[in-house]
Amino acid sequence: MVSASKEMAVYCFDILVAHYTGDVVPPPAFEEVHFPLFVTWKKVVNGGEPRLRGCIGTLEARCLFTGFKDYALTSALRDRRFSPIQVKEIPYLECTVSLLINYELATSYLDWETVRVTVWKPFFSIQHDCKRSLFIGKHGMILEFMDPDNLRRSATYLPEVAAQEGWTKIETVDSLVRKAGYMGPITESFRRKFRITRYQSSLFTMSCCDYISYVKRARGIDPFLSLKC
């Protein structure tokens, strides 16, 4: 069973750094298999909780080589919710790669699980050495529904989102409805018509500091030598 790995996160950093340097991207050091995937970029500001800077992926299985190559840049530069990540932000970034697995059709809009677990671990940034909490969820979900104007809508949240935000199940589902673009009233009878596909994910998170350490150790070079931050 393939799991998200540090090599996948390294490859995403390689792609983003090469976008600004023009350097040749080293070949990926993981299996060329197919999975639905997401790439998430967050930025650490003043040693606080990382803030989302971009998250885009696909619910369809993609070759991991081309999938991570595409979505590392798409999530960093073309997430319409945010301005494109600038080169000066790279030292403060962390990258999470997610592989989506175990798709199941839920029996109702409440038939999914989330857990809130705080895991304290060292987190090293360029300026700070601090500890932070991570949030782990069991199920992500794909919401599909037909709005009152007979327009089909859909949206998804990765497994960690509901737990990280501290939402209840109803708050999570209602937030997904808004993410899908429907701004009308949300009633209980409306929710009962929703189609929910739940899934799980294998994920790996790497800070830029850990990326630099990995590249220096594995390749004997500083990936930032030609990067003008």
Side-chain angles (χ1 to χ4, degrees):
M1 179 66 184
V2 175
S3 299
S5 67
K6 63 182 177 182
E7 289 79 12
M8 296 173 187
V10 165
Y11 186 59
C12 290
F13 266 113
D14 283 343
I15 293 293
L16 183 59
V17 170
H19 172 75
Y20 288 106
T21 64
D23 293 341
V24 175
V25 178
F30 49 85
E31 293 184 57
E32 189 178 11
V33 293
H34 291 69
F35 274 94
L37 60 92
F38 273 75
V39 178
T40 303
W41 296 102
K42 292 185 179 182
K43 180 181 177 181
V44 179
V45 180
N46 297 325
E49 281 293 315
R51 299 177 183 176
L52 186 63
R53 285 294 281 113
C55 178
I56 296 180
T58 174
L59 298 173
E60 302 294 330
R62 284 282 306 271
C63 169
L64 295 189
F65 289 5
T66 57
F68 282 129
K69 180 179 179 181
D70 291 345
Y71 288 106
L73 289 183
T74 301
S75 59
L77 306 176
R78 292 185 285 276
D79 188 327
R80 290 179 293 178
R81 298 170 295 176
F82 305 98
S83 60
I85 290 175
Q86 301 180 45
V87 64
K88 65 183 180 181
E89 296 179 85
I90 293 179
Y92 307 98
L93 294 179
E94 68 172 34
C95 177
T96 297
V97 292
S98 303
L99 304 182
L100 310 187
I101 57 176
N102 298 339
Y103 282 64
E104 301 174 303
L105 184 62
T107 59
S108 75
Y109 75 88
L110 296 175
D111 182 28
W112 54 278
E113 297 179 39
T114 184
V115 292
R116 185 185 180 103
V117 180
T118 303
V119 182
W120 292 96
K121 74 169 188 177
F123 177 79
F124 302 98
S125 68
I126 298 298
Q127 295 178 318
H128 299 275
D129 175 358
C130 58
K131 292 184 177 181
R132 68 179 180 85
S133 57
L134 301 177
F135 298 87
I136 303 171
K138 181 173 182 179
H139 287 132
M141 68 175 76
I142 304 166
L143 169 68
E144 300 171 281
F145 64 96
M146 193 78 72
D147 72 15
D149 295 323
N150 289 322
L151 180 64
R152 186 175 299 278
R153 297 181 181 271
S154 65
T156 188
Y157 277 145
L158 295 175
E160 60 269 23
V161 172
Q164 187 170 3
E165 296 295 334
W167 291 332
T168 65
K169 288 187 175 183
I170 290 180
E171 288 171 339
T172 303
V173 170
D174 288 358
S175 178
L176 263 181
V177 172
R178 300 308 187 205
K179 185 179 180 183
Y182 176 68
M183 299 301 162
I186 305 173
T187 63
E188 180 62 21
S189 60
F190 188 39
R191 293 189 191 101
R192 289 174 182 166
K193 298 177 183 178
F194 294 164
R195 175 187 172 94
I196 298 286
T197 301
R198 65 189 191 187
Y199 59 85
Q200 295 174 277
S201 69
S202 169
L203 58 85
F204 189 93
T205 298
M206 172 176 276
S207 69
C208 185
C209 185
D210 290 337
Y211 165 69
I212 294 171
S213 297
Y214 177 93
V215 172
K216 286 181 176 179
R217 182 175 65 253
R219 304 173 189 165
I221 61 172
D222 185 341
F224 280 14
L225 279 180
S226 56
L227 189 67
K228 297 180 180 179
C229 296

